[in-house]
Amino acid sequence: MPPEFLEGLMTNPYVLKILKSSQQGAATTVWAAVGKEWEAKGGRYTEDCKEADRGQDDGQIFGVDG
């Protein structure tokens, strides 16, 4: 990423509100990989150490039309 773009992200209040530490970011992956409750339940989506609800496809890529 260009430094200017990264600087813009790191000063954006919305982005700062949703950033996670490395440990927080890895927690769901580790939980899903080793949790006994996930044995024989592949193909599910997870977020924040829980199974995620299936969202609606709005046809947008990264929040941008087209």
Side-chain angles (χ1 to χ4, degrees), residues 1-51:
M1 284 186 226
E4 301 81 23
F5 181 77
L6 187 56
E7 185 177 334
L9 285 177
M10 298 310 293
T11 57
N12 182 314
Y14 175 75
V15 172
L16 293 174
K17 190 184 232 182
I18 62 172
L19 283 179
K20 295 181 179 184
S21 69
S22 299
Q23 293 85 353
Q24 290 168 324
T28 298
T29 301
V30 172
W31 169 76
V34 301
K36 296 288 183 193
E37 64 269 30
W38 291 103
E39 288 182 10
K41 292 185 179 179
R44 308 269 179 103
Y45 289 98
T46 58
E47 65 182 355
D48 298 327
C49 294
K50 64 180 179 13
E51 186 170 356

